[in-house]
Amino acid sequence: MNQKIALVLGSGGARGIAHIGAIRELIRNGFEIASIAGTSMGALIGGVYACGKMDEYEAWMCSLGKMDVFNLVDFTLSTSGIIKADKVFKEIHKFIPDQKIEDLPVKYAAVTTDLHHGKEIVIREGSLFEAIRASISIPLIITPVLKSDTLFVDGGVLNPVPVNRVFRNNGDILVAVNVSAQIPYQPAVAENPDWHFLEIINSSKLKEFQEKLSTLFPPSKKEKSGYFNLISETSNLMLKHILDLTLEMNPPDILIEVSRQACGTFDFYKATELIELGKQATIKALESHLALK
């Protein structure tokens, strides 16, 4: 009989694609995923797996080039976010049918944040797609979801790796995947020069957006960090402390770690590399787990 696991998938933007590689490797090693809890990209990958669409989703992600990713971005100068994400979620909806969470073959939970009431919300029933959309609204980047008197933003704001929110079965083991680990990163292969967004930077569409953004956030001569870097570094520092405390209070039996330096938040065009990175990180974690037995 396969060892049952309670799987927890953390937030991390494009690095969350590594969750696919982790899941593949766990299954290859005979583990049975009995329950899943995820935040942000972890909620998305976990939901895609739970509804049986991971093969199709992986194939789509690996087919995306840098311009494909850019064309999926619908910029807006809303005060609540700069990306509506309607285009990308329209594509994602193709892989996630209108299905209730309670009908999934594995126990599933998506973690999100209620900004109006300042609290964490764990969604364990209702529309799978709506739960994922609520969990993945990166503050100031992707526009939040307003439902009744609740404003849903990214679950990673309060719980980036929700080890304390996954359903547990008797005899299972807790496996967590942290794709924002503060560990060194050494690329397995040389980066393809085509991965750099030089032509995007020169595109008129992005130039126009940057000019509008600059009117809202005028740069200072003393500034060393750009707008996006400032948001990223500030949130990463905050989330690291939250994550350290969460893992200390709820230590997983197996912790799979992918360096936060592996790629940027929106480098979704690196899917193939990130999936392989998730596999290798899982192999390393399983070897360490066996060595301790």
Short mmCIF file of all heavy atoms in Angstrom, two decimals, residues 215-279:
data_model
loop_
_atom_site.label_atom_id
_atom_site.label_comp_id
_atom_site.label_asym_id
_atom_site.label_seq_id
_atom_site.Cartn_x
_atom_site.Cartn_y
_atom_site.Cartn_z
N THR A 215 4.11 58.39 -13.85
CA THR A 215 3.38 59.59 -13.41
C THR A 215 2.76 59.38 -12.04
O THR A 215 2.58 60.32 -11.28
CB THR A 215 2.27 59.96 -14.42
OG1 THR A 215 1.31 58.91 -14.46
CG2 THR A 215 2.84 60.19 -15.80
N LEU A 216 2.45 58.11 -11.72
CA LEU A 216 1.88 57.80 -10.41
C LEU A 216 2.97 57.62 -9.36
O LEU A 216 2.78 57.96 -8.20
CB LEU A 216 1.04 56.52 -10.49
CG LEU A 216 -0.20 56.57 -11.39
CD1 LEU A 216 -0.85 55.19 -11.41
CD2 LEU A 216 -1.19 57.60 -10.88
N PHE A 217 4.11 57.07 -9.79
CA PHE A 217 5.21 56.81 -8.86
C PHE A 217 6.50 57.40 -9.44
O PHE A 217 7.34 56.69 -9.98
CB PHE A 217 5.39 55.30 -8.65
CG PHE A 217 4.13 54.60 -8.18
CD1 PHE A 217 3.31 53.96 -9.10
CD2 PHE A 217 3.77 54.61 -6.85
CE1 PHE A 217 2.16 53.32 -8.69
CE2 PHE A 217 2.62 53.97 -6.43
CZ PHE A 217 1.81 53.33 -7.35
N PRO A 218 6.67 58.73 -9.33
CA PRO A 218 7.86 59.38 -9.91
C PRO A 218 9.13 58.84 -9.27
O PRO A 218 9.21 58.73 -8.04
CB PRO A 218 7.65 60.86 -9.54
CG PRO A 218 6.21 60.98 -9.20
CD PRO A 218 5.80 59.66 -8.65
N PRO A 219 10.12 58.45 -10.09
CA PRO A 219 11.37 57.92 -9.54
C PRO A 219 12.20 59.01 -8.88
O PRO A 219 12.19 60.17 -9.29
CB PRO A 219 12.08 57.37 -10.78
CG PRO A 219 11.54 58.18 -11.92
CD PRO A 219 10.12 58.49 -11.57
N SER A 220 12.91 58.63 -7.85
CA SER A 220 13.82 59.54 -7.16
C SER A 220 15.25 59.24 -7.59
O SER A 220 15.59 58.09 -7.86
CB SER A 220 13.67 59.36 -5.65
OG SER A 220 14.75 59.97 -4.97
N LYS A 221 16.06 60.25 -7.62
CA LYS A 221 17.46 60.06 -8.01
C LYS A 221 18.18 59.15 -7.02
O LYS A 221 19.16 58.49 -7.35
CB LYS A 221 18.18 61.40 -8.10
CG LYS A 221 17.70 62.27 -9.26
CD LYS A 221 18.47 63.57 -9.33
CE LYS A 221 18.00 64.44 -10.50
NZ LYS A 221 18.73 65.71 -10.57
N LYS A 222 17.71 59.15 -5.79
CA LYS A 222 18.36 58.34 -4.76
C LYS A 222 17.86 56.90 -4.73
O LYS A 222 18.42 56.06 -4.04
CB LYS A 222 18.13 58.98 -3.38
CG LYS A 222 18.78 60.35 -3.24
CD LYS A 222 18.55 60.90 -1.84
CE LYS A 222 19.22 62.28 -1.69
NZ LYS A 222 19.01 62.82 -0.32
N GLU A 223 16.77 56.63 -5.47
CA GLU A 223 16.20 55.29 -5.45
C GLU A 223 17.10 54.30 -6.17
O GLU A 223 17.56 54.55 -7.27
CB GLU A 223 14.82 55.27 -6.11
CG GLU A 223 13.71 55.78 -5.20
CD GLU A 223 12.35 55.67 -5.88
OE1 GLU A 223 12.32 55.57 -7.12
OE2 GLU A 223 11.34 55.69 -5.17
N LYS A 224 17.32 53.16 -5.55
CA LYS A 224 18.10 52.10 -6.18
C LYS A 224 17.19 50.95 -6.62
O LYS A 224 17.60 50.12 -7.41
CB LYS A 224 19.17 51.57 -5.21
CG LYS A 224 20.23 52.61 -4.88
CD LYS A 224 21.29 52.03 -3.98
CE LYS A 224 22.37 53.05 -3.66
NZ LYS A 224 23.42 52.51 -2.77
N SER A 225 15.98 50.90 -6.06
CA SER A 225 15.05 49.84 -6.41
C SER A 225 13.87 50.40 -7.18
O SER A 225 13.37 51.47 -6.85
CB SER A 225 14.53 49.14 -5.13
OG SER A 225 15.57 48.52 -4.45
N GLY A 226 13.44 49.67 -8.20
CA GLY A 226 12.27 50.07 -8.94
C GLY A 226 11.01 49.73 -8.17
O GLY A 226 11.05 49.10 -7.10
N TYR A 227 9.88 50.13 -8.73
CA TYR A 227 8.58 49.94 -8.08
C TYR A 227 8.33 48.47 -7.77
O TYR A 227 8.00 48.09 -6.65
CB TYR A 227 7.49 50.51 -8.99
CG TYR A 227 6.08 50.26 -8.53
CD1 TYR A 227 5.56 50.92 -7.41
CD2 TYR A 227 5.26 49.36 -9.20
CE1 TYR A 227 4.27 50.69 -6.99
CE2 TYR A 227 3.96 49.13 -8.79
CZ TYR A 227 3.47 49.80 -7.69
OH TYR A 227 2.19 49.57 -7.28
N PHE A 228 8.50 47.61 -8.79
CA PHE A 228 8.21 46.20 -8.61
C PHE A 228 9.20 45.54 -7.67
O PHE A 228 8.84 44.69 -6.86
CB PHE A 228 8.20 45.48 -9.97
CG PHE A 228 7.11 45.95 -10.88
CD1 PHE A 228 7.40 46.74 -11.97
CD2 PHE A 228 5.79 45.62 -10.61
CE1 PHE A 228 6.39 47.18 -12.80
CE2 PHE A 228 4.78 46.06 -11.43
CZ PHE A 228 5.08 46.85 -12.53
N ASN A 229 10.47 45.91 -7.77
CA ASN A 229 11.48 45.33 -6.88
C ASN A 229 11.21 45.71 -5.43
O ASN A 229 11.40 44.90 -4.51
CB ASN A 229 12.88 45.80 -7.28
CG ASN A 229 13.39 45.10 -8.51
OD1 ASN A 229 12.93 44.01 -8.84
ND2 ASN A 229 14.33 45.73 -9.20
N LEU A 230 10.77 46.94 -5.23
CA LEU A 230 10.48 47.40 -3.88
C LEU A 230 9.34 46.60 -3.27
O LEU A 230 9.41 46.16 -2.11
CB LEU A 230 10.13 48.89 -3.90
CG LEU A 230 9.97 49.57 -2.54
CD1 LEU A 230 11.27 49.49 -1.75
CD2 LEU A 230 9.55 51.02 -2.73
N ILE A 231 8.28 46.39 -4.04
CA ILE A 231 7.16 45.58 -3.57
C ILE A 231 7.62 44.16 -3.26
O ILE A 231 7.32 43.58 -2.22
CB ILE A 231 6.02 45.54 -4.61
CG1 ILE A 231 5.38 46.91 -4.75
CG2 ILE A 231 4.97 44.51 -4.22
CD1 ILE A 231 4.34 46.98 -5.85
N SER A 232 8.39 43.59 -4.20
CA SER A 232 8.83 42.20 -4.07
C SER A 232 9.71 42.00 -2.85
O SER A 232 9.50 41.08 -2.05
CB SER A 232 9.57 41.78 -5.34
OG SER A 232 10.05 40.47 -5.21
N GLU A 233 10.72 42.86 -2.69
CA GLU A 233 11.66 42.70 -1.58
C GLU A 233 10.98 42.92 -0.24
O GLU A 233 11.27 42.21 0.74
CB GLU A 233 12.83 43.67 -1.75
CG GLU A 233 13.72 43.36 -2.95
CD GLU A 233 14.27 41.94 -2.91
OE1 GLU A 233 14.70 41.50 -1.83
OE2 GLU A 233 14.24 41.26 -3.95
N THR A 234 10.08 43.89 -0.17
CA THR A 234 9.37 44.17 1.08
C THR A 234 8.49 42.99 1.49
O THR A 234 8.52 42.53 2.63
CB THR A 234 8.50 45.43 0.94
OG1 THR A 234 9.31 46.54 0.57
CG2 THR A 234 7.80 45.74 2.25
N SER A 235 7.72 42.49 0.53
CA SER A 235 6.81 41.37 0.83
C SER A 235 7.59 40.09 1.13
O SER A 235 7.21 39.32 2.02
CB SER A 235 5.84 41.14 -0.32
OG SER A 235 6.51 40.81 -1.51
N ASN A 236 8.70 39.86 0.43
CA ASN A 236 9.50 38.66 0.67
C ASN A 236 10.07 38.63 2.08
O ASN A 236 10.11 37.58 2.73
CB ASN A 236 10.63 38.56 -0.35
CG ASN A 236 10.16 38.04 -1.69
OD1 ASN A 236 9.22 37.25 -1.77
ND2 ASN A 236 10.80 38.48 -2.76
N LEU A 237 10.51 39.79 2.56
CA LEU A 237 11.06 39.87 3.91
C LEU A 237 9.98 39.56 4.95
O LEU A 237 10.20 38.81 5.90
CB LEU A 237 11.65 41.26 4.15
CG LEU A 237 12.27 41.50 5.53
CD1 LEU A 237 13.44 40.55 5.76
CD2 LEU A 237 12.73 42.96 5.65
N MET A 238 8.80 40.13 4.72
CA MET A 238 7.67 39.91 5.63
C MET A 238 7.25 38.44 5.63
O MET A 238 7.06 37.82 6.69
CB MET A 238 6.50 40.79 5.21
CG MET A 238 5.22 40.58 6.00
SD MET A 238 3.90 41.63 5.38
CE MET A 238 3.68 40.96 3.72
N LEU A 239 7.13 37.87 4.43
CA LEU A 239 6.66 36.49 4.31
C LEU A 239 7.66 35.49 4.87
O LEU A 239 7.27 34.43 5.37
CB LEU A 239 6.35 36.17 2.85
CG LEU A 239 5.16 36.93 2.24
CD1 LEU A 239 4.98 36.55 0.78
CD2 LEU A 239 3.89 36.67 3.03
N LYS A 240 8.94 35.82 4.78
CA LYS A 240 9.96 34.92 5.33
C LYS A 240 9.75 34.73 6.83
O LYS A 240 9.82 33.60 7.34
CB LYS A 240 11.36 35.46 5.06
CG LYS A 240 12.46 34.57 5.64
CD LYS A 240 13.84 35.17 5.46
CE LYS A 240 14.91 34.23 6.00
NZ LYS A 240 14.75 33.97 7.46
N HIS A 241 9.49 35.80 7.53
CA HIS A 241 9.30 35.71 8.97
C HIS A 241 8.01 34.95 9.31
O HIS A 241 7.98 34.16 10.25
CB HIS A 241 9.28 37.11 9.60
CG HIS A 241 10.64 37.76 9.62
ND1 HIS A 241 11.60 37.43 10.55
CD2 HIS A 241 11.20 38.70 8.83
CE1 HIS A 241 12.70 38.14 10.33
NE2 HIS A 241 12.48 38.92 9.29
N ILE A 242 6.95 35.18 8.54
CA ILE A 242 5.70 34.45 8.75
C ILE A 242 5.93 32.96 8.50
O ILE A 242 5.50 32.10 9.27
CB ILE A 242 4.59 34.97 7.82
CG1 ILE A 242 4.25 36.42 8.17
CG2 ILE A 242 3.35 34.09 7.90
CD1 ILE A 242 3.27 37.06 7.20
N LEU A 243 6.62 32.65 7.40
CA LEU A 243 6.88 31.27 7.03
C LEU A 243 7.73 30.54 8.07
O LEU A 243 7.44 29.40 8.45
CB LEU A 243 7.55 31.21 5.66
CG LEU A 243 7.93 29.83 5.13
CD1 LEU A 243 6.71 28.93 5.05
CD2 LEU A 243 8.61 29.96 3.78
N ASP A 244 8.79 31.19 8.52
CA ASP A 244 9.66 30.57 9.53
C ASP A 244 8.87 30.20 10.78
O ASP A 244 9.04 29.11 11.34
CB ASP A 244 10.80 31.53 9.90
CG ASP A 244 11.82 31.68 8.78
OD1 ASP A 244 11.79 30.85 7.85
OD2 ASP A 244 12.63 32.62 8.85
N LEU A 245 7.99 31.09 11.19
CA LEU A 245 7.20 30.84 12.39
C LEU A 245 6.20 29.71 12.16
O LEU A 245 6.03 28.82 13.01
CB LEU A 245 6.46 32.11 12.80
CG LEU A 245 5.57 32.01 14.06
CD1 LEU A 245 6.41 31.63 15.27
CD2 LEU A 245 4.86 33.35 14.30
N THR A 246 5.55 29.70 10.99
CA THR A 246 4.57 28.67 10.67
C THR A 246 5.20 27.29 10.63
O THR A 246 4.65 26.32 11.18
CB THR A 246 3.90 28.96 9.31
OG1 THR A 246 3.29 30.25 9.34
CG2 THR A 246 2.83 27.93 8.99
N LEU A 247 6.36 27.17 9.98
CA LEU A 247 7.03 25.87 9.88
C LEU A 247 7.58 25.42 11.23
O LEU A 247 7.65 24.22 11.51
CB LEU A 247 8.16 25.95 8.86
CG LEU A 247 7.73 26.12 7.39
CD1 LEU A 247 8.95 26.25 6.48
CD2 LEU A 247 6.85 24.97 6.94
N GLU A 248 7.96 26.36 12.06
CA GLU A 248 8.45 26.02 13.40
C GLU A 248 7.32 25.45 14.25
O GLU A 248 7.52 24.50 15.01
CB GLU A 248 9.03 27.27 14.07
CG GLU A 248 9.61 27.01 15.46
CD GLU A 248 10.18 28.27 16.09
OE1 GLU A 248 10.53 29.21 15.34
OE2 GLU A 248 10.28 28.30 17.33
N MET A 249 6.12 26.01 14.09
CA MET A 249 4.97 25.56 14.87
C MET A 249 4.35 24.28 14.31
O MET A 249 3.74 23.50 15.05
CB MET A 249 3.90 26.66 14.92
CG MET A 249 4.34 27.91 15.66
SD MET A 249 3.09 29.23 15.57
CE MET A 249 1.73 28.48 16.47
N ASN A 250 4.50 24.07 13.00
CA ASN A 250 3.92 22.91 12.34
C ASN A 250 4.96 22.26 11.42
O ASN A 250 4.82 22.31 10.19
CB ASN A 250 2.69 23.31 11.53
CG ASN A 250 1.64 24.03 12.34
OD1 ASN A 250 0.79 23.42 12.96
ND2 ASN A 250 1.71 25.37 12.35
N PRO A 251 5.99 21.65 11.98
CA PRO A 251 7.07 21.11 11.14
C PRO A 251 6.59 19.94 10.28
O PRO A 251 6.00 18.99 10.80
CB PRO A 251 8.12 20.64 12.16
CG PRO A 251 7.35 20.44 13.43
CD PRO A 251 6.25 21.44 13.42
N PRO A 252 6.81 20.01 8.97
CA PRO A 252 6.42 18.90 8.09
C PRO A 252 7.38 17.72 8.23
O PRO A 252 8.52 17.89 8.66
CB PRO A 252 6.51 19.51 6.69
CG PRO A 252 7.51 20.61 6.83
CD PRO A 252 7.37 21.14 8.22
N ASP A 253 6.90 16.53 7.87
CA ASP A 253 7.77 15.36 7.88
C ASP A 253 8.80 15.45 6.75
O ASP A 253 9.94 15.00 6.89
CB ASP A 253 6.93 14.09 7.70
CG ASP A 253 5.95 13.90 8.85
OD1 ASP A 253 6.41 13.66 9.98
OD2 ASP A 253 4.73 14.02 8.63
N ILE A 254 8.37 16.02 5.62
CA ILE A 254 9.27 16.22 4.49
C ILE A 254 9.08 17.65 4.00
O ILE A 254 7.96 18.07 3.69
CB ILE A 254 8.97 15.24 3.34
CG1 ILE A 254 9.15 13.79 3.79
CG2 ILE A 254 9.88 15.52 2.13
CD1 ILE A 254 8.75 12.77 2.74
N LEU A 255 10.17 18.41 3.93
CA LEU A 255 10.12 19.78 3.43
C LEU A 255 10.91 19.86 2.13
O LEU A 255 12.11 19.61 2.10
CB LEU A 255 10.71 20.75 4.46
CG LEU A 255 10.77 22.23 4.03
CD1 LEU A 255 9.38 22.77 3.71
CD2 LEU A 255 11.45 23.08 5.11
N ILE A 256 10.21 20.20 1.05
CA ILE A 256 10.82 20.36 -0.27
C ILE A 256 11.03 21.84 -0.51
O ILE A 256 10.09 22.63 -0.41
CB ILE A 256 9.92 19.75 -1.36
CG1 ILE A 256 9.70 18.26 -1.10
CG2 ILE A 256 10.52 19.98 -2.75
CD1 ILE A 256 8.58 17.66 -1.92
N GLU A 257 12.28 22.23 -0.82
CA GLU A 257 12.59 23.66 -0.93
C GLU A 257 13.16 24.01 -2.31
O GLU A 257 14.07 23.35 -2.80
CB GLU A 257 13.60 24.06 0.15
CG GLU A 257 13.04 23.98 1.56
CD GLU A 257 14.00 24.57 2.58
OE1 GLU A 257 15.13 24.06 2.68
OE2 GLU A 257 13.63 25.55 3.25
N VAL A 258 12.60 25.08 -2.87
CA VAL A 258 13.10 25.65 -4.12
C VAL A 258 13.50 27.09 -3.83
O VAL A 258 12.74 27.84 -3.21
CB VAL A 258 12.01 25.62 -5.22
CG1 VAL A 258 12.47 26.38 -6.46
CG2 VAL A 258 11.64 24.18 -5.57
N SER A 259 14.68 27.47 -4.26
CA SER A 259 15.20 28.80 -3.97
C SER A 259 14.35 29.90 -4.59
O SER A 259 13.93 29.80 -5.74
CB SER A 259 16.64 28.93 -4.48
OG SER A 259 17.09 30.27 -4.35
N ARG A 260 14.11 30.95 -3.83
CA ARG A 260 13.37 32.10 -4.35
C ARG A 260 14.17 32.83 -5.43
O ARG A 260 13.62 33.67 -6.16
CB ARG A 260 12.99 33.07 -3.24
CG ARG A 260 14.14 33.73 -2.53
CD ARG A 260 13.65 34.76 -1.52
NE ARG A 260 13.00 35.87 -2.19
CZ ARG A 260 13.64 36.99 -2.54
NH1 ARG A 260 14.94 37.11 -2.29
NH2 ARG A 260 13.00 37.96 -3.13
N GLN A 261 15.45 32.51 -5.56
CA GLN A 261 16.28 33.13 -6.59
C GLN A 261 16.17 32.40 -7.94
O GLN A 261 16.78 32.83 -8.92
CB GLN A 261 17.75 33.12 -6.14
CG GLN A 261 18.02 33.90 -4.86
CD GLN A 261 19.45 33.75 -4.38
OE1 GLN A 261 20.30 33.19 -5.06
NE2 GLN A 261 19.73 34.24 -3.18
N ALA A 262 15.36 31.34 -7.98
CA ALA A 262 15.28 30.53 -9.20
C ALA A 262 14.71 31.32 -10.37
O ALA A 262 15.10 31.10 -11.52
CB ALA A 262 14.42 29.29 -8.94
N CYS A 263 13.79 32.22 -10.09
CA CYS A 263 13.23 33.05 -11.17
C CYS A 263 12.41 34.16 -10.55
O CYS A 263 12.15 34.17 -9.35
CB CYS A 263 12.36 32.21 -12.12
SG CYS A 263 10.76 31.74 -11.45
N GLY A 264 11.98 35.08 -11.40
CA GLY A 264 11.14 36.18 -10.95
C GLY A 264 9.69 35.75 -10.81
O GLY A 264 9.28 34.68 -11.28
N THR A 265 8.90 36.59 -10.20
CA THR A 265 7.50 36.28 -9.93
C THR A 265 6.71 35.97 -11.19
O THR A 265 5.81 35.13 -11.18
CB THR A 265 6.83 37.45 -9.17
OG1 THR A 265 7.54 37.68 -7.95
CG2 THR A 265 5.39 37.14 -8.84
N PHE A 266 7.04 36.63 -12.30
CA PHE A 266 6.24 36.49 -13.52
C PHE A 266 6.98 35.77 -14.65
O PHE A 266 6.58 35.86 -15.81
CB PHE A 266 5.77 37.87 -14.00
CG PHE A 266 4.89 38.56 -13.00
CD1 PHE A 266 5.39 39.57 -12.20
CD2 PHE A 266 3.58 38.16 -12.82
CE1 PHE A 266 4.59 40.20 -11.26
CE2 PHE A 266 2.77 38.78 -11.88
CZ PHE A 266 3.28 39.80 -11.09
N ASP A 267 8.02 35.00 -14.31
CA ASP A 267 8.80 34.29 -15.33
C ASP A 267 8.14 32.95 -15.70
O ASP A 267 8.77 31.88 -15.65
CB ASP A 267 10.23 34.06 -14.85
CG ASP A 267 11.04 35.33 -14.79
OD1 ASP A 267 10.57 36.36 -15.32
OD2 ASP A 267 12.13 35.31 -14.20
N PHE A 268 6.89 33.00 -16.11
CA PHE A 268 6.14 31.78 -16.41
C PHE A 268 6.64 31.09 -17.67
O PHE A 268 6.32 29.92 -17.91
CB PHE A 268 4.65 32.09 -16.54
CG PHE A 268 4.00 32.47 -15.24
CD1 PHE A 268 3.87 33.79 -14.85
CD2 PHE A 268 3.55 31.48 -14.38
CE1 PHE A 268 3.28 34.13 -13.65
CE2 PHE A 268 2.97 31.80 -13.16
CZ PHE A 268 2.83 33.14 -12.79
N TYR A 269 7.42 31.77 -18.47
CA TYR A 269 7.96 31.18 -19.68
C TYR A 269 9.09 30.18 -19.39
O TYR A 269 9.58 29.50 -20.29
CB TYR A 269 8.48 32.28 -20.63
CG TYR A 269 9.52 33.17 -20.00
CD1 TYR A 269 10.87 32.93 -20.18
CD2 TYR A 269 9.15 34.25 -19.20
CE1 TYR A 269 11.83 33.73 -19.59
CE2 TYR A 269 10.10 35.06 -18.61
CZ TYR A 269 11.43 34.81 -18.81
OH TYR A 269 12.37 35.60 -18.21
N LYS A 270 9.47 30.07 -18.12
CA LYS A 270 10.52 29.12 -17.72
C LYS A 270 9.92 27.82 -17.17
O LYS A 270 10.54 27.13 -16.37
CB LYS A 270 11.43 29.75 -16.66
CG LYS A 270 12.26 30.93 -17.17
CD LYS A 270 13.20 31.42 -16.09
CE LYS A 270 14.08 32.55 -16.60
NZ LYS A 270 15.03 33.03 -15.56
N ALA A 271 8.73 27.48 -17.61
CA ALA A 271 8.00 26.36 -17.02
C ALA A 271 8.78 25.06 -17.05
O ALA A 271 8.86 24.35 -16.04
CB ALA A 271 6.65 26.19 -17.73
N THR A 272 9.37 24.72 -18.18
CA THR A 272 10.09 23.44 -18.29
C THR A 272 11.23 23.37 -17.29
O THR A 272 11.41 22.34 -16.60
CB THR A 272 10.64 23.26 -19.72
OG1 THR A 272 9.55 23.30 -20.65
CG2 THR A 272 11.38 21.95 -19.86
N GLU A 273 11.98 24.45 -17.17
CA GLU A 273 13.09 24.50 -16.21
C GLU A 273 12.59 24.40 -14.78
O GLU A 273 13.16 23.68 -13.94
CB GLU A 273 13.87 25.81 -16.39
CG GLU A 273 14.99 25.99 -15.38
CD GLU A 273 15.54 27.41 -15.37
OE1 GLU A 273 15.03 28.26 -16.13
OE2 GLU A 273 16.48 27.66 -14.60
N LEU A 274 11.49 25.07 -14.48
CA LEU A 274 10.97 25.09 -13.11
C LEU A 274 10.40 23.74 -12.70
O LEU A 274 10.54 23.32 -11.54
CB LEU A 274 9.91 26.19 -12.98
CG LEU A 274 10.46 27.61 -13.03
CD1 LEU A 274 9.35 28.62 -13.27
CD2 LEU A 274 11.21 27.94 -11.73
N ILE A 275 9.76 23.05 -13.62
CA ILE A 275 9.23 21.71 -13.33
C ILE A 275 10.38 20.76 -12.99
O ILE A 275 10.31 19.98 -12.04
CB ILE A 275 8.40 21.18 -14.51
CG1 ILE A 275 7.10 21.99 -14.64
CG2 ILE A 275 8.09 19.69 -14.34
CD1 ILE A 275 6.33 21.74 -15.91
N GLU A 276 11.45 20.85 -13.77
CA GLU A 276 12.63 20.02 -13.49
C GLU A 276 13.24 20.40 -12.14
O GLU A 276 13.69 19.52 -11.39
CB GLU A 276 13.66 20.20 -14.60
CG GLU A 276 14.94 19.38 -14.43
CD GLU A 276 14.68 17.87 -14.40
OE1 GLU A 276 13.68 17.40 -15.00
OE2 GLU A 276 15.48 17.15 -13.75
N LEU A 277 13.23 21.68 -11.83
CA LEU A 277 13.76 22.14 -10.55
C LEU A 277 12.95 21.55 -9.40
O LEU A 277 13.51 21.14 -8.38
CB LEU A 277 13.71 23.67 -10.51
CG LEU A 277 14.55 24.39 -9.46
CD1 LEU A 277 16.03 24.09 -9.66
CD2 LEU A 277 14.31 25.89 -9.53
N GLY A 278 11.63 21.50 -9.57
CA GLY A 278 10.78 20.90 -8.55
C GLY A 278 11.06 19.41 -8.36
O GLY A 278 11.08 18.90 -7.23
N LYS A 279 11.33 18.72 -9.46
CA LYS A 279 11.67 17.29 -9.38
C LYS A 279 12.97 17.10 -8.61
O LYS A 279 13.06 16.24 -7.73
CB LYS A 279 11.81 16.70 -10.79
CG LYS A 279 10.51 16.54 -11.55
CD LYS A 279 10.76 15.93 -12.92
CE LYS A 279 9.48 15.76 -13.71
NZ LYS A 279 9.71 15.18 -15.06
#
